[in-house]
C-alpha cells in the first residue's frame, strides 16, 4: 500500500568515489532552479540513513571503495543505486589505471547506469526518474545481501555482476514459487 | 586532568563536500586546534597512464579528465607543452578562442565556488540564484564546444570548433545578463549583514603567511600577494584583451569572494573583447613530429597556478608528465588557516578555498 | 627554463641561499625516472611578476638514498615531498608514505622505466 | 518529648556506636536510623500547631561552657595549624561572645519553637541523613583505617544528626550560635578526616569561612540584645523595626556563609574536593539546608528593600553558580556548584515571603535534598567501584552498570523535569516572580536571572548525561559489574522517595492531574510499549561517521567562562552583599 | 469535542503547513518546488522503509520527543497553563537532545549541544511571553488569553521578540545553527532512519503548529487578527530565511540575549509601569 509513495519522495545521497567532479557539478546543477530536482520531491540529504537513491560518480578508487560500501550498507532498504557518468559505469577513461577499480558495480549492485562524460543534468534527471520506477518495484527478496557477497567472485577475483544478477533472479523465482 | 578535545570529521562523505576529502578537526568545544587532512581519495594514477597507456596526442584529452571544473586549463597546459616540444605555433585566432573558453570556464567555476560558499554558509537562496544564473554561462559553453563540462575543445595545433557570428551575438547577450547579475551579487556580498558575520574576518590568511606558504590564485590575491600567472606568461594574448589583476587586502572569506567577483567582471570584459576583436584565420594548424626534450608550462586555472612538466623522448609515448595542480600546493596553507576557527565556519572556509580534490590527487 | 645541477649534499644549502620568499615562488618538487636505477629530482621555482622565468635545481640520485627535506625553509614543500615518497618509493627526510596510496602499499607507480 | 528523642538519642547513640564491633555496629545503625526516621514521621503527623519548650537554666550554663570550649578549640586549631584567619576569627568571636555575655539582660521567649519548617527539616535530616549514614557503613568499610576510626566516623555522623535536629528546633539565638558552631566543627572533622594535605587545607578553609558566619551571628545577637533586648528569634521577628534591620542582615550573612553563596562558595567546593564523599553528601544534601531554613525563619521580618535585595542576590548567585559550573569537568564540583545555585534560589524564594513562594522554597528544599543525595551516592559508587571521578571518563558506563546510569539519569531528571518535585518548586517560583513584577522591577531581574540560571543548570545536567548515555555498540554484558547491596538499597530508597513525591504532589493538587500524569505516561508507558512491539526485531546499524570506520572521539563540551566574567561575578556578588548593609543603614 | 478533533488533526495541519512552506520557499528561489502534499509522501515512504536503529534508547527517545510535543500541542489547544506548556515544551526538546546524546556519533552530539545552547537563547523569551500574559490576565491560563481582546498593542515588543523565537524553533536561517545541514548534517536527527526518523520529522510539523498557536495568542479572542498575524509572520519568516546566511551559535546567543530578551524585558516593564 505504501509502495506507491516511494516514488514520490526519493531522497538522494551523493558520493564521489573518485570522479573528475564534472558529474558532481552537474548533480549540483540539477538542484539549481533551471532543472529543480525538488519538483519530484528530491532532497539532497547527504545522510545515508535517510536516503533512498544513492548517486555515485567516479571509477571507485582504491581508497574510496570501503567508504562506498560502508555508506551503502548504512542505507535502509529499499534503496536504488544510480551510477552517474561513464567512468562510474565501466571505469571509462580511467579503466585499468593502477589505483582504480573499474566501475562501482564491482562493489555494490547498480540499478541504473547513466552514461556520459560528463553526464548532463537532463540525463541525470532521466536516470533518477528511472531509478524511481526501480524503487517502486523493489521487493524485499531483491535486497538480500547474498547479491553482494555470496558467489560474487570469479576465479580471477573479479566480480561478474551480470552473472550474479542472474543467479539472484533465479532465487527470486524459486521464492515466489 | 583528563582529555579535553573532540575530533570532528569532515568527510570523506559529507553534505558540504562535492568531492571526497577528509579533514579531521581536533576541537575544543567547536574551536579548531588541530587539523589532519587526507586528500588522496581521488587518486587514480593519471600521471602514469599518460606515459604508459596513451600516445602523446591523446594525453590532452586524458588530462582533461583529471578535473571537470578546470578541464580546459589542463588540456590547454598540456597542449601548449606538447606544442613547445614539437616546436609548433598556433594561429592568433586559435589562441583567442582558447582564451575565450578559458575565461568562460573561469566565470562558471568562480560562480560555482561563490554559490557553494553561500550554501555552506547556510544561505540557500543565494546558492539557488547563483546556480541559476550560472546556467547562462553553461549555455554559451555548450554552444561553443558542444558539451557542458568536459569540452575537449583544445587540440594540438589549435581548437576543434569555430564560432559563428550569431553565436558571437548570443555570447555577448548572455554575458551582459551575467554582468548585471554579478553586480547584484557584489551588492549582496558587500551589504548583507548575516553574510558579513559569516565571512568577514573569518578564515583569514595574512600576507606574511601567503608568502610563507607560497599561496596561489585567489587565495593569494585576497591576501594581497600579487601573483597571477596570466601576468607572468606570454603564450596567450592577455595583454591585448584587457587583463587586470584583481587584489584585496584582508585575506578572509569575504576578500576571496570579492576577488572572485572582480575576476568574473574582468573575465566578462575580456570575453567581450575577444568576441569583438576576433582575428581572421584558421583555427587549426597541422603539426607533424614527435615530442622531444623537456618543458615547463604554467597557466592560471580558476584556483591558481597550474604547472605541467612534460618530457618527451622522440617517440609517441612520453617520458614523464608531471602535473602540479593549484589545490595541491595550497593544502599546507589550508591547514594553517583552519587553526583557531570555529568548526561552524569550516565548511564555508573550505568552500571559499574552492578546493579541487580530483585535481590534487590526479 | 634555467636548469642548475646540484648534488645530494649541497642541495639544501643551495636552495637556502637562493630562495627568497618575497621574490621566488616555490612551484613543486618533481621526480623523473631516468632509468631503473636512477632518478632526477627537481626543485622548481618561478619568479613573481616576471614572465616565463623558471629556475630548476636538480640532482641525479639512485633510488636508495634519502633526499633532504626543505620543509623548514619552505613549509609548503611538505606535501610534494610526501608525493615523491608515494610515487617513487624513495625516502625523503621526515616524510611518510600514505598521501595517495595506502601506508602499507607496495606500489611505486612511477619508479623506473615504465614502458 | 519526641523532639527530645530526636535530639538526644543520636548523641547517645554516637557514643554507643564508637565501641561496637563491625556487625553489631551495622545492625544497630540500620535499626536506629529506621527508628529516627519513624520518629520524625510521627512528629510530622502529631504536631499540628507550633510547639514551645523551655530548657532548664542549668543547661544554659552548660551551653556557655561548651561555647567557650569550642571557641578556644578553634583558637587552638588556628594557632597550632598556623592559620591566621582561623585564629583571628576565633579570637574575634571570643571577644564578641564575651560582649554578649556582658550585655545580657534580655527578655527571653521559649527556647524551643517547633513550627512547620522545623518539621520539614526533621524529615530531611533524619530520612535523607539516615540513608546517607547507612550508605556510609559500606563506604567506610573499604577505607584503610582502624576500626575505632571507622566507628568514629559513624559516630560523628550521628552526632551531626543530633546537632542538626537540635538546631532546627531552637528559638534562642545564643543556642543557635552554639549549634551553628558545632556543625562547623562537624564539617571541620569530616572534611579533614583523611588528614592528608588537601583535606587539612580544605578543612581549615571551611573552618574560617564558617566562622565568618559565627561572627555574623554574634554580631546579630549583640545588636538584638542592645536594641531589641531579646535573644529569641520569634520576639526579634515580631518586634522588628523596619528602620533598624541590622540583626536580620547579620543573620542573613550567616545564612549566606552556610549556604556557600558566591563569595563564600570555596568552602563547600573544598568539601567536595576532599576525598570523603560521605561528608560531601551530608554537606550538600542536609547541612547546607540550614541556610534556606534560616532565611525561611527570618522571612516574616523581611519586607520591601531587604526582601527584594536578598531575592536579587539569591537569583544572581543562582545564575552565576550555574554559569560557572558549565565549565567544570570534576563530577563533584559540578554537583557542588549546582547545589550552591539551588540553595541561593531557595533563599531568594524564602526572601519573597509570600505564601506561595515559601511553599515553593519548602518543596525545593525537600526534593533537592532527595535528588542531590541520590546523585552524590552514585558519585561515591563511581569512585569506589569504578574509580571514576571526572565526567569525561564515565563513557560507556551504560555497558558496565546500567543501574548506576539509571540512578544518575533519574537523579538529574528529578532535578529538572516535570512531574518531579524540584520542577514543581521551580514552577511555583516562576509564578511568584511573575506575580511580583507589578510591584517592583527587581522581580523582572530575578525572573530573568532564574530563567537563564535554570536553562544553564539544565544544560549542565545534560552535559553530564552526554557521557553517561553514550553506548558502545559492540560491548555485550561481559563487562557488567554488580554494585554492592548497601549501595543499591540506599539508592533505591531515595528513588522511591522521589516517586512518593510525585504521588504527594498529585494528592496536594499542586497541579492538575493531567499535567502530572502525562509526563509520567510519557516517561513510563510509551517506551515500554514501543520496546515490546517494535524494537525487539529491529536491525542494528552503525553510526554515521562520514563513511569512515574509525572510532570517534567524543568529549564533553566546555562552556568556558572567561576570567573577566568570573571576576565580574565575584565583584558583583560583593557589591550585592555590601549594598545589603548600605541599604539597610540608609 | 472539536478540541479533541483539532488535537488529532494537529500533525496533519503541521504537515500541510510545512508542505506549503516548502512551495513558498521554492517560489521565492525561482523554482517550481515540490507538490503541496510532499511531506505526506515522505511520511508514507518512511513508514515503508526498513527499520534500522543504532540502539533502542536512541529510537525510543525520538518517539518520546514526538509524543511529548503532541502533548504540548494538546495542552495548548485545550487552553492549559501557559507556563506549564513552556516547560513541557522544554521537556519535549530535551528528549530529542537526550536521544542525540545516546549514540556515539559526533554530528549528533554537536547538534544536541547546539540545541542545548539555543535553549539559553529562547527559553527566557518564552518565560517572559508567559509572564506577560499573566500580567495582563492575572493567570497563566490560555483560555483566559483567548477570552480577552487582543493585547497586541501593549505587547508589540514582545511580539517582535517572539518572531525571533519562531525563526529559531522552525530552524530557519539565520537561526538554524542547531540543524545546520551543511555543517553537521542535520544535527540531532542525523542517526534516525525509517520509521523512527518519521517521528522526528513529524515532530517538526508539530513544532510548526505549536509555535504558530502561541503566536496567535497575541490576537486574543479576535480570530481574524489571528489569521492576519499568522500570515504576516509566515511570510516574514520565509523572507528572512531567504535573505540571510546562518549565524554562528555564539552570535545567535548574543543576538537573542542582546536584542530579543531586552525587547521582551522592556515590554514587561512597560506593562507594569506605563
Amino acid at each position: 500500500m505504501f509502495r506507491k509513495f516511494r516514488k514520490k519522495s526519493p531522497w538522494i545521497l551523493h558520493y564521489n568515489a573518485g570522479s573528475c567532479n564534472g558529474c558532481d557539478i552537474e548533480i549540483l546543477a540539477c538542484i539549481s532552479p533551471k532543472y529543480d530536482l525538488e519538483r519530484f520531491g528530491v532532497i539532497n540529504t547527504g545522510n545515508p540513513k535517510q536516503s533512498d537513491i544513492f548517486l555515485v560518480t567516479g571509477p571507485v578508487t582504491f581508497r574510496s571503495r570501503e567508504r562506498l560500501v560502508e555508506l551503502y550498507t548504512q542505507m535502509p532498504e529499499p534503496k536504488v543505486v544510480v551510477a552517474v557518468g561513464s567512468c562510474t559505469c565501466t571505469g571509462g577513461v580511467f579503466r585499468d589505471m593502477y589505483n582504480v577499480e573499474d566501475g562501482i558495480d564491482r562493489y555494490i549492485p547498480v540499478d541504473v547506469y547513466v552514461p556520459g562524460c560528463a553526464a548532463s543534468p537532463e540525463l541525470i534527471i532521466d536516470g533518477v526518474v528511472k531509478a524511481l520506477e526501480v524503487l517502486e518495484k523493489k521487493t524485499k527478496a531483491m535486497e538480500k545481501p547474498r547479491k553482494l557477497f555470496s558467489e560474487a567472485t570469479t576465479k580471477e577475483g573479479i566480480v561478474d555482476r551480470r552473472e550474479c544478477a542472474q543467479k539472484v533472479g533465479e532465487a527470486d523465482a524459486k521464492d515466489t514459487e | 586532568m583528563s582529555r579535553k578535545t573532540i575530533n570532528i570529521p569532515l568527510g570523506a562523505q559529507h553534505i558540504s563536500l562535492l568531492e571526497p576529502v577528509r579533514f579531521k578537526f581536533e576541537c575544543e568545544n567547536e574551536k579548531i586546534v588541530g587539523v589532519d587532512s587526507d586528500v588522496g581519495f581521488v587518486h587514480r594514477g593519471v600521471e602514469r597512464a599518460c606515459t604508459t597507456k596513451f600516445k602523446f596526442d591523446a594525453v590532452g584529452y586524458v588530462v582533461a579528465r583529471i578535473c571537470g571544473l578546470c578541464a580546459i586549463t589542463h588540456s590547454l597546459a598540456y597542449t601548449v607543452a606538447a606544442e613547445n616540444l614539437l616546436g609548433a605555433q598556433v594561429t592568433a585566432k586559435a589562441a583567442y578562442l582558447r582564451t575565450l573558453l578559458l575565461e568562460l570556464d573561469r566565470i562558471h567555476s568562480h560562480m560555482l565556488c561563490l554559490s557553494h560558499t553561500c550554501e555552506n554558509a547556510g544561505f540557500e537562496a543565494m546558492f539557488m540564484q547563483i546556480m541559476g544564473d550560472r546556467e547562462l554561462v553553461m549555455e554559451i559553453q555548450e554552444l561553443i564546444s558542444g558539451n557542458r563540462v568536459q569540452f575537449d575543445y583544445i587540440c594540438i595545433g589549435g581548437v576543434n570548433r569555430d564560432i559563428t557570428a550569431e553565436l558571437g551575438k548570443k555570447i555577448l547577450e548572455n554575458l551582459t545578463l551575467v554582468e548585471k547579475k554579478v553586480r547584484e551579487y557584489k551588492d549582496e556580498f558587500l551589504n548583507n549583514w548575516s553574510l558579513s558575520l559569516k565571512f568577514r574576518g573569518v578564515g583569514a590568511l595574512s600576507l606574511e603567511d601567503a608568502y610563507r606558504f607560497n599561496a596561489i590564485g585567489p587565495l593569494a590575491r585576497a591576501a594581497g600577494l600579487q601573483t597571477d600567472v596570466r601576468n607572468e606568461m606570454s603564450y596567450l594574448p592577455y595583454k591585448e584583451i584587457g587583463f587586470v589583476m584583481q587584489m584585496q587586502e584582508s585575506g578572509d572569506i569575504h576578500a576571496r569572494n570579492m576577488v572572485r567577483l572582480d575576476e568574473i567582471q574582468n573575465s566578462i570584459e575580456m570575453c567581450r573583447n575577444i568576441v569583438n576583436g576576433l582575428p581572421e584565420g584558421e583555427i587549426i594548424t597541422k603539426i607533424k613530429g614527435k615530442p622531444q626534450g623537456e618543458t615547463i608550462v604554467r597557466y592560471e586555472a580558476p584556483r591558481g597556478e597550474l604547472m605541467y612538466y612534460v618530457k618527451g623522448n622522440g617517440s609517441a609515448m612520453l617520458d614523464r608528465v608531471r602535473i602540479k595542480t593549484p589545490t595541491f600546493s595550497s593544502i599546507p596553507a589550508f591547514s594553517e588557516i583552519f587553526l583557531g576557527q570555529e568548526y561552524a565556519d569550516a565548511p564555508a572556509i573550505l568552500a571559499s578555498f574552492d578546493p579541487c580534490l580530483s585535481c590534487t590527487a590526479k | 627554463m634555467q636548469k642548475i645541477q646540484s648534488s645530494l649534499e649541497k642541495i639544501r644549502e643551495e636552495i637556502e641561499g637562493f630562495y627568497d620568499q618575497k621574490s621566488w615562488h616555490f612551484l613543486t618538487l618533481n621526480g623523473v625516472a631516468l632509468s631503473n636505477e636512477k632518478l632526477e629530482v627537481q626543485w622548481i621555482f618561478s619568479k613573481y611578476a616576471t614572465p616565463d622565468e623558471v629556475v630548476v635545481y636538480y640532482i641525479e640520485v639512485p633510488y636508495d638514498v634519502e633526499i633532504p627535506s626543505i620543509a623548514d625553509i619552505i613549509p609548503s614543500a611538505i606535501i610534494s615531498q610526501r608525493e615523491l615518497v608515494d610515487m617513487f618509493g624513495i625516502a625523503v627526510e621526515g616524510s611518510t608514505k600514505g598521501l595517495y596510496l595506502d601506508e602499507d602499499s607496495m606500489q611505486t607507480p612511477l619508479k623506473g622505466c615504465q614502458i | 518529648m519526641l523532639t527530645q528523642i530526636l535530639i538526644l538519642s543520636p548523641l547517645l547513640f554516637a557514643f554507643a556506636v564508637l565501641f561496637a564491633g563491625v556487625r553489631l555496629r551495622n545492625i544497630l545503625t540500620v535499626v536506629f536510623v529506621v527508628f529516627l526516621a519513624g520518629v520524625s514521621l510521627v512528629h510530622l503527623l502529631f504536631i499540628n500547631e507550633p510547639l514551645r519548650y523551655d530548657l532548664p537554666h542549668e543547661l544554659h550554663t552548660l551551653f556557655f561552657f561548651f561555647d567557650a570550649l569550642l571557641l578556644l578549640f578553634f583558637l587552638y586549631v588556628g594557632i597550632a595549624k598556623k592559620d591566621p584567619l582561623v585564629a583571628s576569627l576565633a579570637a574575634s568571636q571570643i571577644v564578641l561572645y564575651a560582649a554578649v555575655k556582658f550585655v545580657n539582660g534580655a527578655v527571653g521567649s521559649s527556647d524551643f519553637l517547633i513550627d512547620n519548617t522545623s518539621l520539614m527539616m526533621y524529615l530531611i535530616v533524619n530520612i535523607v541523613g539516615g540513608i546517607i549514614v547507612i550508605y556510609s557503613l559500606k563506604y567506610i568499610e573499604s577505607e584503610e583505617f582502624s576500626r575505632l576510626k571507622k566507628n568514629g566516623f559513624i559516630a560523628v555522623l550521628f552526632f551531626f544528626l543530633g546537632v542538626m535536629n537540635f538546631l532546627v528546633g531552637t528559638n534562642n539565638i545564643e543556642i543557635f550560635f552554639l549549634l551553628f558552631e558545632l556543625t562547623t566543627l562537624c564539617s571541620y572533622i569530616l572534611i579533614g578526616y583523611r588528614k592528608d594535605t588537601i583535606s587539612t587545607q580544605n578543612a581549615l578553609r571551611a573552618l574560617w569561612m564558617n566562622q565568618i558566619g559565627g561572627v555574623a551571628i554574634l554580631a546579630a545577637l549583640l545588636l538584638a540584645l542592645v536594641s531589641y533586648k531579646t535573644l529569641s528569634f520569634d520576639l526579634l521577628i515580631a518586634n522588628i523595626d523596619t528602620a533598624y534591620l541590622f540583626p536580620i542582615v547579620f543573620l542573613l550573612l550567616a545564612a549566606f556563609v552556610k549556604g556557600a553563596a558566591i563569595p563564600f562558595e570555596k568552602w563547600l567546593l573544598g568539601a567536595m574536593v576532599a576525598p570523603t564523599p560521605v561528608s560531601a553528601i551530608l554537606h550538600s544534601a542536609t547541612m547546607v539546608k540550614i541556610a534556606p531554613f534560616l532565611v525561611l525563619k527570618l522571612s516574616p521580618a523581611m519586607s520591601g528593600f531587604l526582601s527584594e535585595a536578598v531575592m536579587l542576590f539569591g537569583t544572581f548567585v543562582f545564575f552565576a553558580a550555574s554559569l560557572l559550573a558549565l565549565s567544570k569537568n570534576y563530577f563533584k564540583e559540578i554537583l557542588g556548584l549546582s547545589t550552591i545555585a539551588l540553595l541561593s534560589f531557595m533563599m531568594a524564594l524564602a526572601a519573597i515571603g509570600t505564601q506561595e513562594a515559601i511553599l515553593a522554597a519548602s518543596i525545593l528544599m525537600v526534593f533537592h535534598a532527595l535528588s542531590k543525595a541520590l546523585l552524590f551516592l552514585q558519585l561515591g559508587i563511581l569512585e569506589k567501584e569504578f574509580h571514576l571521578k571526572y565526567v569525561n571518563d564515565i563513557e560507556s558506563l551504560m555497558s558496565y552498570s546500567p543501574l548506576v546510569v539509571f540512578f544518575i539519569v533519574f537523579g538529574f531528571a528529578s532535578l529538572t523535569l516535570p512531574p518531579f518535585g524540584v520542577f514543581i518548586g521551580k514552577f511555583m517560583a516562576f509564578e511568584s516572580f511573575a506575580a511580583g513584577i507589578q510591584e517592583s522591577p527587581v522581580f523582572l531581574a530575578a525572573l530573568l536571572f532564574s530563567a537563564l540560571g535554570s536553562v544553564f543548570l539544565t544544560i549542565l545536567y545534560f552535559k553530564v548525561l552526554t557521557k553517561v548515555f553514550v553506548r558502545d555498540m559492540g560491548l555485550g554484558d561481559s563487562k557488567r559489574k554488580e554494585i554492592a547491596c548497601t549501595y543499591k538499597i540506599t539508592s533505591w530508597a531515595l528513588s522511591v522517595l522521589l516517586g512518593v513525591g510525585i504521588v504527594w504532589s498529585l494528592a496536594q493538587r499542586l497541579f492538575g492531574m493531567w499535567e502530572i500524569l502525562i509526563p509520567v505516561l510519557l516517561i513510563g508507558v510509551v517506551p515500554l510499549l514501543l520496546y515490546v512491539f517494535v524494537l525487539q526485531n529491529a536491525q542494528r546499524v552503525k553510526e554515521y561517521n562520514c563513511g569512515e570506520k574509525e572510532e570517534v572521539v567524543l568529549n564533553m563540551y566546555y562552556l568556558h567562562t572567561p576570567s573577566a566574567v568570573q571576576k565580574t561575578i565575584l565583584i558583583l556578588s560583593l557589591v550585592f552583599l555590601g549594598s545589603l548593609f548600605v541599604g539597610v543603614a540608609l | 469535542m472539536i478540541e479533541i478533533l483539532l488535537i488529532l488533526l494537529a500533525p496533519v495541519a503541521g504537515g500541510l503547513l510545512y508542505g506549503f512552506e516548502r512551495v513558498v520557499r521554492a517560489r521565492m528561489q525561482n523554482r517550481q518546488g515540490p507538490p503541496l502534499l510532499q511531506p505526506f509522501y515522505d511520511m508514507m515512504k518512511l513508514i515503508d522503509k526498513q527499520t534500522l536503529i543504532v540502539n533502542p534508547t536512541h529510537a525510543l527517545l525520538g518517539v518520546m520527543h514526538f509524543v511529548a510535543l503532541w502533548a504540548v500541542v494538546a495542552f495548548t489547544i485545550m487552553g492549559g497553563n501557559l507556563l506549564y506548556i513552556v516547560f513541557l515544551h522544554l521537556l519535549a526538546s530535551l528528549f530529542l537532545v537526550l536521544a542525540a546524546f545516546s549514540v556515539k556519533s559526533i554530528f549528533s552530539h554537536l547538534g544536541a549541544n547546539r540545541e542545548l545552547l539555543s535553549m539559553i537563547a529562547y527559553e527566557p523569551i518564552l518565560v517572559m511571553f508567559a509572564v506577560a500574559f499573566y500580567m495582563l490576565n492575572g493567570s497563566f491560563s490560555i483560555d483566559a488569553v483567548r477570552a480577552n481582546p487582543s493585547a497586541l498593542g501593549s505587547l508589540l515588543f514582545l511580539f517582535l521578540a517572539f518572531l525571533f523565537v519562531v525563526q529559531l524553533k522552525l530552524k530557519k536561517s539565520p537561526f538554524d545553527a542547531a540543524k545546520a545541514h551543511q555543517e553537521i548534517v542535520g544535527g540531532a536527527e542525523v542517526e534516525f532512519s525509517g520509521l523512527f526518523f518519521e517521528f522526528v520529522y513529524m515532530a517538526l510539523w508539530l513544532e510548526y503548529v505549536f509555535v504558530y498557536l502561541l503566536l496567535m495568542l497575541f490576537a486574543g479572542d479576535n480570530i481574524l487578527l489571528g489569521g492576519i498575524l499568522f500570515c504576516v509572520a509566515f511570510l516574514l519568516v520565509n523572507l528572512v530565511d531567504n535573505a540571510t546566511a546562518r549565524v554562528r551559535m555564539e552570535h545567535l546567543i548574543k543576538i537573542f540575549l542582546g536584542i530579543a530578551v531586552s525587547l521582551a524585558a522592556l515590554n514587561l516593564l512597560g506593562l507594569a509601569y506605563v
Side-chain angles (χ1 to χ4, degrees), chain D residues 1 7 81 113 120 127 242-243 260 282 440 447 501 505 508 571:
Chain D
M1 190 55 212
I7 295 165
K81 299 262 155 105
L113 175 60
M120 182 186 72
I127 297 182
T242 44
L282 270 187
S440 155
L447 181 79
S505 51
Q508 292 287 309
I571 291 170

Side-chain angles (χ1 to χ4, degrees), chain E:
Chain E
M1 204 54 220
I2 189 144
E3 280 151 344
I4 291 173
L5 202 67
L6 278 178
I7 291 169
L8 289 178
L9 286 179
V12 179
L16 278 175
L17 199 56
Y18 180 59
F20 183 59
E21 194 198 72
R22 272 175 75 175
V23 176
V24 169
R25 199 173 56 195
R27 293 293 153 83
M28 281 177 174
Q29 293 169 353
N30 261 330
R31 293 185 289 128
Q32 188 190 338
L36 182 64
L37 293 180
Q38 186 61 44
F40 299 100
Y41 299 152
D42 292 345
M43 185 185 100
M44 295 296 189
K45 176 203 71 176
L46 286 170
I47 291 176
D48 194 30
K49 297 279 280 187
Q50 177 195 17
T51 327
L52 281 179
I53 58 168
V54 178
N55 63 44
T57 329
H58 177 248
L60 282 178
L61 285 165
V63 178
M64 280 155 75
H65 168 60
F66 169 74
V67 179
L69 259 183
W70 207 346
V72 172
V73 172
F75 275 120
T76 318
I77 291 174
M78 299 293 283
N81 183 321
L82 196 51
L83 192 59
Y84 177 78
I85 286 169
V86 168
F87 282 128
L88 196 66
H89 177 252
L90 182 69
L91 169 71
S93 314
L94 286 176
F95 277 138
L96 186 64
V97 171
L98 260 189
F101 274 142
S102 71
V103 287
K104 220 171 176 179
S105 157
I106 187 74
F107 295 115
S108 191
H109 277 228
L110 279 172
N113 188 44
R114 289 183 180 187
E115 199 82 53
L116 279 177
L117 286 179
S118 66
M119 279 168 197
I120 297 180
Y122 73 78
E123 270 306 303
I125 298 175
L126 282 185
V127 169
M128 279 194 276
F129 170 81
V131 168
F133 283 110
Y134 176 85
M135 286 164 73
L136 282 174
N137 302 322
S139 90
F140 280 113
S141 153
I142 287 186
D143 276 337
V145 179
R146 293 217 181 99
N148 287 321
S150 164
L152 187 61
S154 50
L155 294 177
L156 202 58
F157 282 178
L158 190 73
F159 180 71
L160 292 178
F162 191 76
L163 284 179
F164 280 76
V165 179
V166 174
Q167 200 83 5
L168 191 149
K169 279 314 292 180
L170 300 187
K171 305 276 160 53
K172 295 281 176 202
S173 154
F175 302 132
D176 57 345
K179 205 171 176 180
H181 220 258
Q182 284 77 22
E183 292 161 22
I184 51 176
V185 207
E189 59 195 48
V190 64
E191 294 297 338
F192 289 99
S193 67
L195 184 66
F196 292 98
F197 179 61
E198 187 203 321
F199 282 108
V200 180
Y201 192 58
M202 291 204 295
L204 181 67
W205 309 352
L206 286 174
E207 202 82 73
Y208 273 78
V209 177
F210 171 66
V211 168
Y212 282 119
L213 274 178
L214 284 195
L215 184 96
M216 286 204 261
L217 289 186
F218 282 104
D221 60 354
N222 191 338
I223 294 173
L224 185 67
L225 181 64
I228 294 171
L229 278 187
F230 163 70
C231 290
V232 169
F234 185 80
L235 279 177
L236 205 64
V237 163
N238 280 300
L239 268 178
V240 172
D241 178 42
N242 266 331
T244 49
R246 176 187 310 127
V247 297
R248 276 205 297 271
M249 217 57 226
E250 54 175 296
H251 287 140
L252 188 151
I253 292 175
K254 273 180 195 156
I255 290 167
F256 265 79
L257 294 189
I259 301 174
V261 170
S262 358
L263 276 177
L266 267 180
N267 203 149
L268 290 198
L269 282 181
L271 270 187
Y273 302 103
V274 178

Side-chain angles (χ1 to χ4, degrees), chain B residues 33-244:
Chain B
V33 294
V35 186
D36 184 19
S37 63
D38 179 353
V39 296
F41 288 98
V42 203
H43 182 58
R44 289 149 295 185
V46 177
E47 279 186 2
R48 185 180 148 115
C50 288
T51 56
T52 55
K53 281 181 67 188
F54 299 97
K55 289 185 179 159
F56 80 95
D57 47 354
V59 168
Y61 303 117
V62 177
V63 291
R65 264 71 185 175
I66 284 177
C67 169
L69 269 172
C70 26
I72 188 100
T73 54
H74 277 279
S75 50
L76 174 91
Y78 170 74
T79 312
V80 171
E83 282 162 0
N84 279 353
L85 294 185
L86 292 163
Q89 273 288 326
V90 294
T91 60
K93 183 169 186 184
Y96 262 68
L97 285 177
R98 283 177 177 183
T99 319
L100 173 67
L101 256 263
L102 287 168
E103 291 310 313
L104 284 177
D105 185 64
R106 187 185 312 281
I107 295 171
H108 97 80
S109 169
H110 278 355
M111 284 174 92
L112 183 79
C113 168
L114 288 168
S115 70
H116 198 223
T117 313
C118 286
E119 163 86 345
N120 282 359
F123 199 162
E124 200 191 331
M126 195 75 184
F127 163 77
M128 288 295 179
Q129 200 187 345
I130 302 182
M131 282 304 282
D133 298 336
R134 178 173 161 272
E135 291 299 325
L136 290 170
V137 186
M138 301 302 281
E139 197 182 338
I140 310 177
Q141 286 186 339
E142 196 171 0
L143 286 174
I144 298 176
S145 69
N147 205 352
R148 283 167 55 93
V149 176
Q150 291 283 3
F151 316 125
D152 296 340
Y153 185 67
I154 296 172
C155 64
I156 293 178
V159 296
N160 283 334
R161 283 184 177 207
D162 201 352
I163 58 171
T164 60
E166 306 97 81
L167 186 50
K169 245 176 78 190
K170 174 78 183 164
I171 295 171
L172 292 181
E173 227 171 74
N174 276 10
L175 285 180
T176 316
L177 277 176
V178 174
E179 193 169 29
K180 202 173 121 241
K181 299 284 186 186
V182 170
R183 272 200 296 272
E184 285 171 21
Y185 306 152
K186 234 178 165 169
D187 203 42
E188 188 77 23
F189 275 101
L190 280 172
N191 299 327
N192 189 313
W193 162 81
S194 59
L195 276 183
S196 73
L197 274 187
K198 201 74 187 175
F199 288 164
R200 281 182 205 256
V202 175
L205 179 74
S206 67
L207 182 57
E208 186 55 37
D209 278 347
Y211 273 118
R212 207 154 65 85
F213 286 97
N214 284 304
I216 48 177
L219 186 63
R221 290 196 284 279
L225 172 57
Q226 300 203 349
T227 172
D228 191 323
V229 187
R230 288 177 286 178
N231 206 25
E232 298 168 12
M233 67 169 183
S234 51
Y235 40 82
L236 285 178
Y238 275 114
K239 294 260 153 41
E240 300 149 34
I241 55 174
F243 163 72
V244 184

Side-chain angles (χ1 to χ4, degrees), chain B residues 3-14:
Chain B
R3 302 163 300 160
K4 276 202 153 184
T5 54
I6 43 179
N7 283 356
I8 308 180
L10 185 69
Q13 186 271 337
H14 192 278

Side-chain angles (χ1 to χ4, degrees), chain A residues 106-107 146-161 163-164 167:
Chain A
R106 282 195 176 185
Y107 287 97
R146 66 174 168 219
K147 199 175 176 185
L148 249 181
F149 302 113
S150 67
E151 302 168 57
T153 49
T154 58
K155 278 170 213 152
E156 296 85 37
I158 298 167
V159 184
D160 186 343
R161 287 282 315 130
E163 210 174 287
C164 291
K167 276 182 195 154

